[in-house]
């Protein structure tokens, strides 16, 4: 299919590599090494799978950011879901969440002990489970960035229309732009430009990054997930840094519009409210979350069960927080590949298929 | 996980439900986030929902740009 193969063409990739090398030489001649952060977990996986990291000159480095939704979900959130399962609720979740370690155990452990934890493909599956089990509480684990928050939020009006009252959402939605602001403000984090997420941007729109670009003089480029998309994004950011420019560039205009997806944004406006959110390994970031708005709070699982998502204690040796902030790359963590592997993950970045540690473990790429 | 692969809308069963296809594989899709989608559109599908339509003019322009780069690379390599 041309909309796939055309974005993986080898000669174009070699041409883009040549442009990257030229920009890299110019940066190196000035004694500069620049750090570009790919914020999205799917970009991290695409970069690792295509081997892009290994083709870059030493003056251009790629860092993985906090863009894997499972990875940034707090241990306390997992603990709360486990308590709900222990109280007899049916937990419906995307597959990645099942093996994420909480403070003491994971949902997979709870399921092995007889807990009712069901993996779904679409949030709409939760409606079906709730309709089929009218005598039981059904909790959907509503995690994710704006891309996932939009489909999940449709559950609120859908449940009301179908008069399904035994379904609730345990929300831990995350918003990307405030996380970028927090990373830029962290003096320990070195970022010179962002490769902005593709499908988050489809929901929130390209203009959502304008404050970051103009407020911090930081180049931001929105890229698709294909290898040529990512290489061209790196060319753009490197050339901006060579010339001292900081611009917002939408390289994924075939999907991302300046103002985003109006239907999704209307859903957020009607059913959700912006709140502070706790990011695993990073801490609380102001305005970086979305919770259920007051009129619809009867669908908030934390409230319905009287369970808090705070106070989780992840493994003290886990350095996922430093990986998520781009302070280290996964091979720098002492657990990586030893105590922490995909079959036996210590931290969430090794669990999710989008996690940086899982990507490095599977495809290599340490430098 | 975000899927980069656009899928073509082959059937619209109701204003908010349709069927998408990619290389012979068909599956249901919720269209409530893309109410203007019509049969023949390429859609970006995430968690069973179409989250945006692919703009074919933009996609074709970008493909042409990459094709031009490939030509430059081949000429430079000769």
């Amino acid at each position: 299919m041309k909309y796939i193969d055309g974005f993986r063409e080898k000669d174009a990739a070699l041409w883009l590599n040549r442009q990257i090398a030229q920009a890299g030489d110019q940066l190196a001649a000035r004694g500069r090494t620049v750090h570009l952060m790919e914020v999205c977990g799917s970009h991290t996986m695409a970069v690792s799978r295509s081997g892009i990291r290994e083709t870059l000159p030493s003056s251009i480095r790629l860092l993985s950011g906090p863009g894997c939704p499972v990875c940034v979900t707090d241990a306390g959130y997992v603990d709360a879901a486990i308590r709900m399962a222990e109280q007899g609720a049916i937990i419906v979740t995307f597959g990645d969440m099942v093996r994420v370690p909480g403070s003491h155990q994971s949902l997979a452990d709870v399921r092995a002990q007889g807990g009712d934890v069901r993996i779904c493909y679409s949030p709409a599956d939760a409606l079906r489970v709730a309709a089929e089990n009218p005598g039981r509480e059904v909790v959907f684990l509503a995690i994710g960035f704006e891309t996932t928050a939009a489909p999940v939020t449709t559950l609120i009006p859908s449940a009301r229309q179908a008069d399904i009252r035994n379904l609730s959402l345990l929300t831990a939605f995350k918003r990307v732009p405030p996380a970028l602001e927090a990373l830029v403000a962290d003096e320990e984090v070195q970022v010179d430009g962002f490769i902005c997420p593709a499908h988050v941007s489809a929901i929130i729109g390209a203009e959502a990054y304008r404050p970051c670009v103009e407020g911090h003089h930081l180049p931001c480029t929105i890229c698709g997930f294909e290898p040529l998309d990512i290489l061209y994004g790196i060319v753009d950011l490197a050339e901006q840094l060579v010339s001292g420019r900081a611009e917002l560039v939408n390289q994924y205009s075939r999907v991302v519009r300046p103002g985003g997806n109006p239907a999704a944004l209307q859903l957020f406006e009607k059913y959700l409210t912006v709140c502070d959110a706790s990011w695993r390994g990073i801490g609380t970031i102001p305005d970086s979350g979305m919770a259920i708005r007051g009129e619809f709070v009867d669908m908030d699982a934390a409230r319905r069960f009287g369970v808090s998502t705070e106070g989780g204690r992840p493994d003290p040796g886990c350095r996922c927080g430093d990986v998520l902030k781009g302070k280290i790359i996964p091979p720098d963590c002492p657990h990586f590949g030893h105590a922490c592997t995909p079959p036996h993950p210590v931290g969430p970045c090794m669990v999710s298929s989008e996690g940086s540690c899982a990507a490095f473990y599977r495809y290599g790429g340490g430098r | 996980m975000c899927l980069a692969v656009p899928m073509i809308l082959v059937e619209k069963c109701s204003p908010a439900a349709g069927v998408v296809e990619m290389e012979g594989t068909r599956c249901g899709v919720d269209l409530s986030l893309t109410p203007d989608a019509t049969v023949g559109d390429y859609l970006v599908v995430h968690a069973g929902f179409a989250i945006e339509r692919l703009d074919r003019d933009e996609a074709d322009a970008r493909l042409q740009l990459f094709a031009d780069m490939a030509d430059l690379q081949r000429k430079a390599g000769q």
Side-chain angles (χ1 to χ4, degrees):
Chain A
M1 202 251 278
K2 74 172 179 175
Y3 291 130
I4 302 173
D5 300 334
F7 293 103
R8 300 177 181 177
E9 210 278 334
K10 180 183 146 198
D11 286 322
L14 290 171
W15 179 259
L16 287 164
N17 272 126
R18 189 190 288 240
Q19 311 306 308
I20 292 171
Q22 285 176 2
D25 287 345
Q26 288 176 279
L27 291 163
R30 301 174 198 176
R32 247 192 113 184
T33 297
V34 297
H35 298 82
L36 311 180
M37 179 176 278
E38 90 268 357
V39 178
C40 171
S42 295
H43 274 142
T44 297
M45 191 47 92
V47 163
S48 292
R49 190 170 50 224
S50 57
I52 286 174
R53 190 176 281 104
E54 286 75 12
T55 70
L56 299 180
S58 59
S59 56
I60 299 175
R61 300 210 169 168
L62 279 186
L63 301 172
S64 301
C68 155
V70 166
C71 303
V72 298
T73 300
D74 244 351
Y77 178 92
V78 176
D79 298 343
I82 288 171
R83 283 199 289 281
M84 292 172 190
E86 288 170 345
Q87 289 180 36
I90 300 172
I91 305 295
V92 180
T93 176
F94 296 121
D96 280 4
M97 275 303 287
V98 174
R99 292 196 307 123
V100 173
S103 297
H104 306 290
Q105 53 184 352
S106 68
L107 284 162
D109 299 326
V110 169
R111 186 166 61 175
Q113 294 156 16
D116 197 343
V117 180
R118 304 186 189 185
I119 293 173
C120 71
Y121 159 69
S122 165
D125 296 339
L127 273 182
R128 181 180 46 76
V129 172
E132 290 171 355
N133 295 275
R136 296 181 65 189
E137 283 293 323
V138 175
V139 177
F140 183 76
L141 301 191
I143 68 151
F145 296 102
E146 293 93 332
T147 328
T148 311
V152 172
T153 303
T154 66
L155 287 175
I156 300 174
S158 296
R160 294 204 159 211
Q161 279 161 20
D163 198 26
I164 291 174
R165 301 183 186 191
N166 58 325
L167 174 66
S168 56
L169 310 181
L170 185 60
T171 57
F173 294 134
K174 301 286 195 290
R175 301 174 64 226
V176 167
L180 301 190
E181 293 281 342
L183 285 166
V184 174
D186 188 334
E187 291 178 358
E188 294 181 32
V189 178
Q190 170 77 49
V191 181
D192 300 295
F194 284 117
I195 296 173
C196 294
H199 292 164
V200 164
S201 305
I203 299 293
I204 65 177
E207 287 300 317
Y209 306 102
R210 177 94 42 208
C212 187
V213 173
E214 296 182 350
H216 302 285
H217 195 72
L218 205 72
C220 286
T221 295
I222 301 162
C223 299
F225 291 123
E226 294 296 343
L228 296 186
D229 289 323
I230 298 170
L231 286 169
Y232 201 17
I234 294 169
V235 170
D236 175 61
L237 288 173
E239 290 183 345
Q240 287 199 54
L241 290 165
V242 165
S243 61
R245 288 176 289 127
E247 295 169 359
L248 173 61
V249 178
N250 181 6
Q251 301 262 16
Y252 196 39
S253 54
R254 62 186 186 274
V255 171
V256 175
R257 324 282 183 246
N261 179 321
L265 296 175
Q266 282 166 17
L267 271 176
F268 293 164
E269 182 73 25
K270 184 168 182 184
Y271 296 106
L272 303 180
T273 183
V274 170
C275 61
D276 297 350
S278 178
W279 297 56
R280 190 171 186 137
I282 296 176
T284 298
I285 301 176
D287 295 339
S288 67
M290 291 187 287
I292 298 176
R293 190 176 274 282
E295 306 96 281
F296 309 99
V297 84
D298 58 307
M299 281 195 70
D300 184 331
R303 187 172 285 231
R304 191 177 289 193
F305 284 78
V307 168
S308 168
T309 58
E310 295 175 358
R313 291 192 308 277
D315 185 293
C318 175
R319 296 195 64 189
C320 278
D322 290 337
V323 170
L324 292 166
K325 288 201 265 190
K327 284 188 189 175
I328 63 170
I329 59 173
D332 296 334
C333 173
H335 285 336
F336 179 82
H338 304 291
C340 186
T341 59
H344 300 288
V346 173
C349 297
M350 189 60 93
V351 174
S352 171
S353 58
E354 289 187 306
S356 304
C357 299
F360 272 72
Y361 189 89
R362 185 168 177 188
Y363 296 109
R367 189 179 76 191
Chain B
M1 188 81 176
C2 295
L3 291 177
V5 180
M7 305 178 87
I8 191 164
L9 184 65
V10 292
E11 189 181 338
K12 198 162 178 177
C13 318
S14 73
V19 176
V20 285
E21 180 181 305
M22 203 270 290
E23 295 184 345
T25 301
R26 290 187 171 207
C27 60
V29 65
D30 191 303
L31 301 172
S32 46
L33 299 175
T34 53
D36 299 332
T38 57
V39 170
D41 281 346
Y42 282 89
L43 303 176
V44 174
V45 178
H46 178 77
F49 284 69
I51 58 164
E52 194 50 274
R53 292 190 297 174
L54 182 97
D55 183 321
R56 284 207 223 185
D57 291 340
E58 292 283 339
D60 290 341
R62 185 49 57 121
L63 284 172
Q64 185 58 51
L65 181 69
F66 288 142
D68 292 344
M69 288 181 189
D71 283 342
L72 288 169
Q73 173 65 20
R74 287 185 206 108
K75 283 175 192 159
Q78 281 172 356

